[in-house]
Amino acid sequence: MSEWGFTTRQVHAGARPDPTTGARATPIHQTTSFTFTDARHAAEVFALRDLESYAYTRLANPTTAVVEERVADLEGGVAAVAVASGQAATALALFNLARAGDHVVSAASLYGGSHGLLEHTFADFGVAVTFVRDPDDLDEWRAALRPETKALYAETVGNPRGNVLDIAAVAEVAHGAGVPLVVDNTVPTPYLCRPLEHGADVVVHSTTKFLSGHGTAIGGVVVDGGRFDFTAEPARWPGLTGPDPAYHGVVFAEEFPDFAYAMRLRTRLLRDLGPAVSPMGSFLLLNGIETLSLRLDRHTANAVTAARWLAEHPAVSEVHYAALATSPWHGNAERYLPQGVGAIVAFDLKGGLDAGLRFVDRLDLFSHLANIGDVRSLVIHPASTTHALLAPEQQVISGVTPGLVRLSIGLEGIDDIIGDLATGLAAS
Ligand SMILES: *Cc1c(COP(=O)(O)O)cnc(C)c1O
């Protein structure tokens, strides 16, 4: 598979004609469970000695397995685990490394839901999180490290400001401290950026967005890069290098040395916490991934045109889009996102909060809702919605100003997109 190019693998990786019926599209295996051939077979599956067979859809499902193999292939990872949402992907990816008493260092500029998860729910679970206000400041990352730090976390392209992470530099800080870097690659998708190639160790996605692409299915995925050596400091990673009492003392790093991280995430966290994706959701996701590059090329072309047009408009004070030469992240974008920075364009209205509210109310083509990565153009005013639950101080750290508007530019005709923006700005 891997000698084929990206656009071929987005169609084919992980899929094969159904051995029973010959069905060419991946069937929706809408079943909770799978029969065992005999008692011995069942015992092998439960003991993790038979990894080919399926038992129960909370753990694995043949439709979902195609998603997992395809996303792992496109990201260049060794294995992937699909889950029910992007939030579940982030939670499981980090809980697979950090337990009560441990610590995580995260960029502050995050998707609002991720920020809430890390700030509040992680605290409730006993995992402390330090937020790095300026993810470009490597000293701030280093200063946040503690002996009990178990992961660094950031988004490749931060939501909503479009800041582009210096992946290699932050990976170096992580590895210098002996911990993995976990990156949320939702906004660029593996078509535009593959963080594992730049030193990240684990990639998470909200597949709800561009991977799925049509706004029809919530989902998430965790990709294991397979390169982080947990056995170098075994005492630090008891879940991966010590005997697991929940599996007759299995040692994941010994039994599954190539993909211990993904294996434990599936068989401990997905099994016990249960955020399994439905087979129907996986089917919709597969259909989306098959056109990923085509959609992203068009999303990006439309977004570049819209961003340039907005930058010239008198009602707009600043456009946040790393493809523009004026962006502080233009250099990082050229290095990490050479094929384009994607469809998320944010901008500040000179008129502040009231102008932001008038703008979203006046748009017609753009749908006002809390999503990104749909074929349709979308708009949201973060200060009154996605980031409204953050304290004003936290809003500033996340880059959410009162007049900030976030667009997810869709696949419609660019003249219609610009026309709608012009109407909205006139009303703002
Ligand atoms: C939407 C989103 C998430 C959360 O994903 P859900 O599928 O909504 O749970 C996480 N990170 C980013 C960057 C997102 O845009």
Short mmCIF file of all heavy atoms in Angstrom, two decimals, residues 9-61:
data_model
loop_
_atom_site.label_atom_id
_atom_site.label_comp_id
_atom_site.label_asym_id
_atom_site.label_seq_id
_atom_site.Cartn_x
_atom_site.Cartn_y
_atom_site.Cartn_z
N ARG A 9 -3.97 6.16 -1.87
CA ARG A 9 -4.18 5.51 -0.56
C ARG A 9 -5.43 6.04 0.15
O ARG A 9 -6.06 5.30 0.90
CB ARG A 9 -2.93 5.70 0.30
CG ARG A 9 -1.76 4.86 -0.23
CD ARG A 9 -0.52 4.99 0.63
NE ARG A 9 0.15 6.25 0.43
CZ ARG A 9 0.39 7.14 1.39
NH1 ARG A 9 0.05 6.89 2.64
NH2 ARG A 9 0.99 8.27 1.12
N GLN A 10 -5.81 7.31 -0.10
CA GLN A 10 -7.03 7.80 0.55
C GLN A 10 -8.27 7.05 0.06
O GLN A 10 -9.28 6.97 0.74
CB GLN A 10 -7.19 9.32 0.36
CG GLN A 10 -7.66 9.74 -1.02
CD GLN A 10 -7.69 11.24 -1.22
OE1 GLN A 10 -7.40 12.00 -0.31
NE2 GLN A 10 -8.04 11.70 -2.41
N VAL A 11 -8.17 6.47 -1.13
CA VAL A 11 -9.27 5.67 -1.69
C VAL A 11 -9.18 4.20 -1.27
O VAL A 11 -10.19 3.55 -1.02
CB VAL A 11 -9.27 5.77 -3.24
CG1 VAL A 11 -10.35 4.87 -3.84
CG2 VAL A 11 -9.45 7.21 -3.68
N HIS A 12 -7.95 3.67 -1.20
CA HIS A 12 -7.79 2.21 -1.08
C HIS A 12 -7.26 1.69 0.24
O HIS A 12 -7.51 0.53 0.57
CB HIS A 12 -6.88 1.71 -2.20
CG HIS A 12 -7.52 1.76 -3.55
ND1 HIS A 12 -8.48 0.86 -3.95
CD2 HIS A 12 -7.37 2.63 -4.57
CE1 HIS A 12 -8.87 1.15 -5.18
NE2 HIS A 12 -8.22 2.23 -5.59
N ALA A 13 -6.47 2.47 0.98
CA ALA A 13 -5.78 1.90 2.14
C ALA A 13 -6.76 1.24 3.11
O ALA A 13 -7.79 1.83 3.46
CB ALA A 13 -4.97 2.98 2.87
N GLY A 14 -6.46 0.04 3.51
CA GLY A 14 -7.26 -0.68 4.50
C GLY A 14 -8.45 -1.41 3.95
O GLY A 14 -9.01 -2.27 4.62
N ALA A 15 -8.87 -1.10 2.71
CA ALA A 15 -10.09 -1.71 2.17
C ALA A 15 -9.75 -2.84 1.21
O ALA A 15 -8.78 -2.76 0.47
CB ALA A 15 -10.93 -0.66 1.46
N ARG A 16 -10.56 -3.89 1.24
CA ARG A 16 -10.43 -4.97 0.27
C ARG A 16 -11.84 -5.47 -0.03
O ARG A 16 -12.75 -5.31 0.80
CB ARG A 16 -9.54 -6.08 0.80
CG ARG A 16 -9.72 -6.41 2.27
CD ARG A 16 -8.54 -7.18 2.86
NE ARG A 16 -7.38 -6.36 3.17
CZ ARG A 16 -7.28 -5.53 4.22
NH1 ARG A 16 -8.30 -5.36 5.04
NH2 ARG A 16 -6.19 -4.83 4.45
N PRO A 17 -12.05 -6.03 -1.23
CA PRO A 17 -13.40 -6.53 -1.51
C PRO A 17 -13.83 -7.52 -0.43
O PRO A 17 -13.02 -8.29 0.07
CB PRO A 17 -13.24 -7.22 -2.87
CG PRO A 17 -12.04 -6.57 -3.49
CD PRO A 17 -11.12 -6.24 -2.35
N ASP A 18 -15.11 -7.49 -0.08
CA ASP A 18 -15.61 -8.36 0.97
C ASP A 18 -15.39 -9.82 0.58
O ASP A 18 -15.81 -10.25 -0.51
CB ASP A 18 -17.10 -8.09 1.19
CG ASP A 18 -17.64 -8.91 2.35
OD1 ASP A 18 -17.22 -8.65 3.49
OD2 ASP A 18 -18.43 -9.84 2.10
N PRO A 19 -14.71 -10.61 1.41
CA PRO A 19 -14.37 -11.99 1.03
C PRO A 19 -15.60 -12.87 0.80
O PRO A 19 -15.54 -13.85 0.05
CB PRO A 19 -13.52 -12.49 2.19
CG PRO A 19 -13.74 -11.54 3.32
CD PRO A 19 -14.18 -10.24 2.73
N THR A 20 -16.71 -12.58 1.43
CA THR A 20 -17.90 -13.43 1.29
C THR A 20 -18.74 -13.04 0.07
O THR A 20 -19.16 -13.88 -0.70
CB THR A 20 -18.79 -13.32 2.54
OG1 THR A 20 -17.96 -13.27 3.68
CG2 THR A 20 -19.74 -14.50 2.63
N THR A 21 -18.98 -11.75 -0.10
CA THR A 21 -19.92 -11.31 -1.14
C THR A 21 -19.24 -10.66 -2.33
O THR A 21 -19.86 -10.46 -3.36
CB THR A 21 -20.88 -10.25 -0.55
OG1 THR A 21 -20.08 -9.13 -0.12
CG2 THR A 21 -21.66 -10.80 0.62
N GLY A 22 -17.99 -10.26 -2.17
CA GLY A 22 -17.32 -9.52 -3.24
C GLY A 22 -17.64 -8.03 -3.24
O GLY A 22 -17.20 -7.30 -4.13
N ALA A 23 -18.44 -7.58 -2.28
CA ALA A 23 -18.80 -6.15 -2.24
C ALA A 23 -17.54 -5.29 -2.32
O ALA A 23 -16.59 -5.52 -1.59
CB ALA A 23 -19.57 -5.85 -0.96
N ARG A 24 -17.55 -4.30 -3.20
CA ARG A 24 -16.35 -3.50 -3.42
C ARG A 24 -16.29 -2.33 -2.42
O ARG A 24 -15.24 -2.02 -1.87
CB ARG A 24 -16.33 -3.00 -4.87
CG ARG A 24 -15.17 -2.15 -5.30
CD ARG A 24 -13.81 -2.86 -5.23
NE ARG A 24 -13.10 -2.62 -4.00
CZ ARG A 24 -11.77 -2.55 -3.89
NH1 ARG A 24 -11.01 -2.73 -4.96
NH2 ARG A 24 -11.20 -2.33 -2.73
N ALA A 25 -17.41 -1.63 -2.22
CA ALA A 25 -17.42 -0.62 -1.16
C ALA A 25 -17.38 -1.34 0.18
O ALA A 25 -17.86 -2.47 0.29
CB ALA A 25 -18.69 0.23 -1.26
N THR A 26 -16.77 -0.71 1.19
CA THR A 26 -16.70 -1.35 2.51
C THR A 26 -18.09 -1.47 3.11
O THR A 26 -18.78 -0.46 3.27
CB THR A 26 -15.79 -0.53 3.45
OG1 THR A 26 -14.48 -0.51 2.87
CG2 THR A 26 -15.73 -1.14 4.84
N PRO A 27 -18.55 -2.71 3.41
CA PRO A 27 -19.89 -2.88 3.98
C PRO A 27 -20.01 -2.27 5.38
O PRO A 27 -19.01 -2.16 6.09
CB PRO A 27 -20.07 -4.39 4.05
CG PRO A 27 -19.02 -4.97 3.16
CD PRO A 27 -17.88 -4.00 3.20
N ILE A 28 -21.23 -1.90 5.75
CA ILE A 28 -21.51 -1.43 7.11
C ILE A 28 -21.81 -2.66 7.95
O ILE A 28 -22.88 -3.26 7.83
CB ILE A 28 -22.73 -0.49 7.13
CG1 ILE A 28 -22.56 0.63 6.10
CG2 ILE A 28 -22.95 0.09 8.53
CD1 ILE A 28 -23.85 1.36 5.77
N HIS A 29 -20.85 -3.06 8.77
CA HIS A 29 -21.04 -4.24 9.62
C HIS A 29 -21.79 -3.81 10.88
O HIS A 29 -21.21 -3.66 11.95
CB HIS A 29 -19.70 -4.90 9.94
CG HIS A 29 -19.05 -5.51 8.73
ND1 HIS A 29 -19.43 -6.74 8.23
CD2 HIS A 29 -18.09 -5.05 7.90
CE1 HIS A 29 -18.70 -7.01 7.15
NE2 HIS A 29 -17.89 -6.01 6.93
N GLN A 30 -23.11 -3.61 10.69
CA GLN A 30 -23.94 -3.06 11.77
C GLN A 30 -24.34 -4.20 12.71
O GLN A 30 -25.48 -4.66 12.72
CB GLN A 30 -25.16 -2.35 11.17
CG GLN A 30 -25.93 -1.50 12.16
CD GLN A 30 -25.14 -0.28 12.61
OE1 GLN A 30 -24.53 0.42 11.83
NE2 GLN A 30 -25.13 -0.02 13.91
N THR A 31 -23.38 -4.65 13.48
CA THR A 31 -23.61 -5.73 14.43
C THR A 31 -22.85 -5.42 15.71
O THR A 31 -21.78 -4.81 15.65
CB THR A 31 -23.15 -7.09 13.84
OG1 THR A 31 -23.37 -8.12 14.81
CG2 THR A 31 -21.67 -7.08 13.47
N THR A 32 -23.42 -5.80 16.84
CA THR A 32 -22.71 -5.56 18.10
C THR A 32 -21.62 -6.59 18.31
O THR A 32 -20.59 -6.31 18.91
CB THR A 32 -23.67 -5.67 19.30
OG1 THR A 32 -24.29 -6.96 19.26
CG2 THR A 32 -24.72 -4.58 19.25
N SER A 33 -21.85 -7.84 17.81
CA SER A 33 -20.96 -8.93 18.22
C SER A 33 -20.73 -9.92 17.10
O SER A 33 -21.42 -9.90 16.08
CB SER A 33 -21.52 -9.63 19.46
OG SER A 33 -22.88 -9.33 19.64
N PHE A 34 -19.75 -10.77 17.29
CA PHE A 34 -19.27 -11.70 16.26
C PHE A 34 -19.14 -13.08 16.88
O PHE A 34 -18.62 -13.22 17.99
CB PHE A 34 -17.92 -11.21 15.73
CG PHE A 34 -18.00 -9.81 15.17
CD1 PHE A 34 -17.93 -8.71 16.01
CD2 PHE A 34 -18.19 -9.59 13.81
CE1 PHE A 34 -18.05 -7.41 15.51
CE2 PHE A 34 -18.31 -8.30 13.30
CZ PHE A 34 -18.23 -7.21 14.16
N THR A 35 -19.61 -14.10 16.16
CA THR A 35 -19.59 -15.45 16.74
C THR A 35 -18.17 -16.02 16.75
O THR A 35 -17.37 -15.76 15.86
CB THR A 35 -20.50 -16.41 15.96
OG1 THR A 35 -20.14 -16.34 14.58
CG2 THR A 35 -21.96 -16.03 16.11
N PHE A 36 -17.91 -16.83 17.77
CA PHE A 36 -16.66 -17.57 17.86
C PHE A 36 -16.87 -18.94 17.24
O PHE A 36 -17.96 -19.52 17.34
CB PHE A 36 -16.23 -17.72 19.32
CG PHE A 36 -16.11 -16.39 20.03
CD1 PHE A 36 -16.96 -16.04 21.08
CD2 PHE A 36 -15.15 -15.46 19.64
CE1 PHE A 36 -16.85 -14.82 21.72
CE2 PHE A 36 -15.04 -14.23 20.27
CZ PHE A 36 -15.89 -13.90 21.32
N THR A 37 -15.83 -19.49 16.59
CA THR A 37 -16.01 -20.80 15.95
C THR A 37 -16.12 -21.91 16.99
O THR A 37 -16.84 -22.88 16.79
CB THR A 37 -14.84 -21.10 14.98
OG1 THR A 37 -13.61 -20.88 15.67
CG2 THR A 37 -14.91 -20.21 13.77
N ASP A 38 -15.38 -21.78 18.10
CA ASP A 38 -15.49 -22.77 19.17
C ASP A 38 -14.95 -22.14 20.46
O ASP A 38 -14.49 -21.00 20.46
CB ASP A 38 -14.75 -24.07 18.83
CG ASP A 38 -13.29 -23.82 18.45
OD1 ASP A 38 -12.69 -22.86 18.99
OD2 ASP A 38 -12.77 -24.57 17.61
N ALA A 39 -14.99 -22.89 21.53
CA ALA A 39 -14.61 -22.35 22.84
C ALA A 39 -13.14 -21.93 22.87
O ALA A 39 -12.77 -20.93 23.47
CB ALA A 39 -14.88 -23.38 23.93
N ARG A 40 -12.31 -22.67 22.17
CA ARG A 40 -10.89 -22.36 22.17
C ARG A 40 -10.65 -21.02 21.46
O ARG A 40 -9.89 -20.18 21.92
CB ARG A 40 -10.10 -23.48 21.48
CG ARG A 40 -8.63 -23.56 21.90
CD ARG A 40 -7.83 -24.43 20.93
NE ARG A 40 -7.95 -23.95 19.54
CZ ARG A 40 -7.23 -22.95 19.04
NH1 ARG A 40 -6.36 -22.31 19.76
NH2 ARG A 40 -7.43 -22.57 17.78
N HIS A 41 -11.33 -20.84 20.33
CA HIS A 41 -11.24 -19.58 19.58
C HIS A 41 -11.64 -18.41 20.48
O HIS A 41 -10.94 -17.39 20.54
CB HIS A 41 -12.15 -19.67 18.34
CG HIS A 41 -12.18 -18.42 17.52
ND1 HIS A 41 -13.32 -17.99 16.88
CD2 HIS A 41 -11.24 -17.49 17.25
CE1 HIS A 41 -13.07 -16.86 16.23
NE2 HIS A 41 -11.81 -16.54 16.43
N ALA A 42 -12.74 -18.55 21.18
CA ALA A 42 -13.21 -17.47 22.07
C ALA A 42 -12.15 -17.13 23.10
O ALA A 42 -11.85 -15.95 23.36
CB ALA A 42 -14.51 -17.89 22.76
N ALA A 43 -11.53 -18.16 23.69
CA ALA A 43 -10.52 -17.92 24.72
C ALA A 43 -9.32 -17.19 24.14
O ALA A 43 -8.76 -16.28 24.77
CB ALA A 43 -10.09 -19.26 25.34
N GLU A 44 -8.93 -17.55 22.92
CA GLU A 44 -7.78 -16.89 22.27
C GLU A 44 -8.06 -15.41 22.06
O GLU A 44 -7.20 -14.57 22.26
CB GLU A 44 -7.49 -17.55 20.90
CG GLU A 44 -6.93 -18.96 20.99
CD GLU A 44 -5.52 -18.99 21.54
OE1 GLU A 44 -4.61 -18.45 20.89
OE2 GLU A 44 -5.34 -19.54 22.65
N VAL A 45 -9.29 -15.10 21.61
CA VAL A 45 -9.65 -13.70 21.35
C VAL A 45 -9.62 -12.92 22.66
O VAL A 45 -9.05 -11.83 22.72
CB VAL A 45 -11.04 -13.62 20.68
CG1 VAL A 45 -11.53 -12.18 20.61
CG2 VAL A 45 -11.00 -14.24 19.28
N PHE A 46 -10.21 -13.47 23.71
CA PHE A 46 -10.26 -12.74 24.98
C PHE A 46 -8.89 -12.55 25.60
O PHE A 46 -8.65 -11.59 26.30
CB PHE A 46 -11.22 -13.46 25.95
CG PHE A 46 -12.62 -12.96 25.82
CD1 PHE A 46 -13.46 -13.45 24.83
CD2 PHE A 46 -13.10 -11.96 26.66
CE1 PHE A 46 -14.75 -12.96 24.68
CE2 PHE A 46 -14.38 -11.47 26.52
CZ PHE A 46 -15.21 -11.97 25.52
N ALA A 47 -7.96 -13.47 25.31
CA ALA A 47 -6.62 -13.37 25.89
C ALA A 47 -5.69 -12.50 25.04
O ALA A 47 -4.50 -12.42 25.31
CB ALA A 47 -6.03 -14.77 26.05
N LEU A 48 -6.23 -11.85 24.01
CA LEU A 48 -5.44 -11.00 23.10
C LEU A 48 -4.41 -11.79 22.29
O LEU A 48 -3.45 -11.23 21.79
CB LEU A 48 -4.74 -9.85 23.85
CG LEU A 48 -5.60 -8.90 24.67
CD1 LEU A 48 -4.72 -7.82 25.31
CD2 LEU A 48 -6.68 -8.25 23.83
N ARG A 49 -4.60 -13.12 22.18
CA ARG A 49 -3.65 -13.89 21.37
C ARG A 49 -4.11 -13.96 19.91
O ARG A 49 -3.30 -14.15 19.02
CB ARG A 49 -3.47 -15.31 21.94
CG ARG A 49 -2.54 -15.33 23.17
CD ARG A 49 -2.16 -16.74 23.56
NE ARG A 49 -3.29 -17.52 24.00
CZ ARG A 49 -3.70 -17.57 25.28
NH1 ARG A 49 -3.06 -16.91 26.22
NH2 ARG A 49 -4.76 -18.28 25.61
N ASP A 50 -5.39 -13.78 19.67
CA ASP A 50 -5.92 -13.73 18.31
C ASP A 50 -6.37 -12.30 18.05
O ASP A 50 -7.41 -11.86 18.55
CB ASP A 50 -7.10 -14.70 18.18
CG ASP A 50 -7.75 -14.63 16.80
OD1 ASP A 50 -7.42 -13.71 16.02
OD2 ASP A 50 -8.58 -15.50 16.50
N LEU A 51 -5.57 -11.55 17.28
CA LEU A 51 -5.90 -10.15 17.00
C LEU A 51 -6.62 -9.99 15.66
O LEU A 51 -6.98 -8.90 15.27
CB LEU A 51 -4.63 -9.29 17.01
CG LEU A 51 -3.84 -9.27 18.32
CD1 LEU A 51 -2.63 -8.35 18.19
CD2 LEU A 51 -4.70 -8.82 19.50
N GLU A 52 -6.81 -11.08 14.93
CA GLU A 52 -7.47 -11.00 13.63
C GLU A 52 -8.99 -11.06 13.78
O GLU A 52 -9.72 -10.49 12.98
CB GLU A 52 -7.02 -12.17 12.73
CG GLU A 52 -5.53 -12.19 12.44
CD GLU A 52 -5.09 -10.94 11.68
OE1 GLU A 52 -5.73 -10.61 10.68
OE2 GLU A 52 -4.11 -10.30 12.11
N SER A 53 -9.47 -11.79 14.77
CA SER A 53 -10.91 -12.00 14.91
C SER A 53 -11.56 -10.83 15.63
O SER A 53 -10.91 -10.11 16.38
CB SER A 53 -11.17 -13.27 15.71
OG SER A 53 -10.60 -14.38 15.07
N TYR A 54 -12.85 -10.69 15.40
CA TYR A 54 -13.64 -9.67 16.08
C TYR A 54 -14.48 -10.34 17.15
O TYR A 54 -14.86 -11.50 17.03
CB TYR A 54 -14.54 -8.94 15.08
CG TYR A 54 -13.73 -8.15 14.09
CD1 TYR A 54 -13.41 -8.69 12.85
CD2 TYR A 54 -13.25 -6.89 14.42
CE1 TYR A 54 -12.63 -7.98 11.95
CE2 TYR A 54 -12.47 -6.18 13.53
CZ TYR A 54 -12.16 -6.72 12.29
OH TYR A 54 -11.39 -6.02 11.42
N ALA A 55 -14.77 -9.57 18.23
CA ALA A 55 -15.58 -10.12 19.31
C ALA A 55 -16.80 -9.24 19.57
O ALA A 55 -17.94 -9.72 19.59
CB ALA A 55 -14.74 -10.23 20.58
N TYR A 56 -16.54 -7.91 19.70
CA TYR A 56 -17.59 -7.03 20.18
C TYR A 56 -17.28 -5.62 19.67
O TYR A 56 -16.12 -5.19 19.73
CB TYR A 56 -17.58 -7.06 21.72
CG TYR A 56 -18.77 -6.46 22.40
CD1 TYR A 56 -20.05 -6.89 22.10
CD2 TYR A 56 -18.62 -5.46 23.36
CE1 TYR A 56 -21.15 -6.34 22.73
CE2 TYR A 56 -19.72 -4.91 24.00
CZ TYR A 56 -20.99 -5.35 23.68
OH TYR A 56 -22.08 -4.81 24.31
N THR A 57 -18.26 -4.91 19.14
CA THR A 57 -18.02 -3.65 18.43
C THR A 57 -17.50 -2.53 19.33
O THR A 57 -16.94 -1.57 18.84
CB THR A 57 -19.28 -3.29 17.60
OG1 THR A 57 -19.33 -4.18 16.48
CG2 THR A 57 -19.29 -1.86 17.10
N ARG A 58 -17.65 -2.66 20.64
CA ARG A 58 -17.03 -1.64 21.50
C ARG A 58 -15.51 -1.66 21.38
O ARG A 58 -14.84 -0.66 21.53
CB ARG A 58 -17.47 -1.81 22.96
CG ARG A 58 -16.68 -0.95 23.94
CD ARG A 58 -17.47 -0.52 25.17
NE ARG A 58 -18.24 -1.56 25.79
CZ ARG A 58 -17.73 -2.55 26.54
NH1 ARG A 58 -16.44 -2.63 26.76
NH2 ARG A 58 -18.53 -3.45 27.07
N LEU A 59 -14.95 -2.83 21.08
CA LEU A 59 -13.49 -2.98 20.97
C LEU A 59 -12.99 -2.82 19.53
O LEU A 59 -11.97 -2.21 19.30
CB LEU A 59 -13.09 -4.37 21.46
CG LEU A 59 -12.90 -4.49 22.96
CD1 LEU A 59 -13.01 -5.95 23.38
CD2 LEU A 59 -11.54 -3.93 23.34
N ALA A 60 -13.69 -3.43 18.61
CA ALA A 60 -13.25 -3.39 17.21
C ALA A 60 -14.39 -3.88 16.33
O ALA A 60 -15.23 -4.67 16.75
CB ALA A 60 -12.02 -4.28 17.00
N ASN A 61 -14.40 -3.38 15.09
CA ASN A 61 -15.46 -3.71 14.13
C ASN A 61 -14.84 -3.66 12.73
O ASN A 61 -14.00 -2.79 12.47
CB ASN A 61 -16.59 -2.68 14.29
CG ASN A 61 -17.66 -2.82 13.23
OD1 ASN A 61 -17.48 -2.37 12.10
ND2 ASN A 61 -18.76 -3.43 13.59
#
